[in-house]
Amino acid sequence: MTTQLSLNTGRRPDGALALTAVGEIDMSNAAVFAEALAEAVAQSEPRPVVIDLTEVEYIDSAGLASLFQHVERIHLLAGPLLAPVLTISGLAGLTTVDGS
């Protein structure tokens, strides 16, 4: 069974491309997330993509692996539930992570 995940791409007021995820990212939907992430990174060249994870309640290692693949091209927004996971995983040391 696939876990509920909604993905939307749009432009922020500053012109940066943003990929917004809502729900949970786990092995059941990580491939969909990875595909949307790769597409957003390709579209935003040469600017980083803002990955808005403020409404993500859970992310497993499959979802984190997708983020690690693009660490040099992303800027993460995370809520209080996810920020510690991004720090412990090492992502916060490799890319910008802003809290909400």
Side-chain angles (χ1 to χ4, degrees):
M1 184 162 96
T2 302
T3 303
Q4 183 70 12
L5 176 65
S6 171
L7 299 168
N8 294 305
T9 305
R11 293 276 174 193
R12 294 169 47 97
D14 64 1
L17 186 64
L19 173 63
T20 302
V22 177
E24 298 184 1
I25 304 170
D26 62 21
M27 65 185 258
S28 73
N29 58 24
V32 173
F33 176 67
E35 184 178 320
L37 179 56
E39 186 176 314
V41 167
Q43 289 178 8
S44 73
E45 196 69 47
R47 296 179 74 173
V49 177
V50 176
I51 310 300
D52 186 344
L53 302 173
T54 56
E55 297 297 321
V56 172
E57 300 165 0
Y58 174 82
I59 188 168
D60 72 4
S61 60
L64 290 171
S66 298
L67 294 171
F68 272 104
Q69 289 178 353
H70 301 284
V71 74
E72 295 176 355
R73 302 274 299 118
I74 59 176
H75 176 119
L76 300 172
L77 302 178
L81 288 175
L82 212 56
V85 174
L86 299 176
T87 299
I88 292 167
S89 71
L91 274 167
L94 299 174
T95 192
T96 304
V97 177
D98 290 326
S100 60

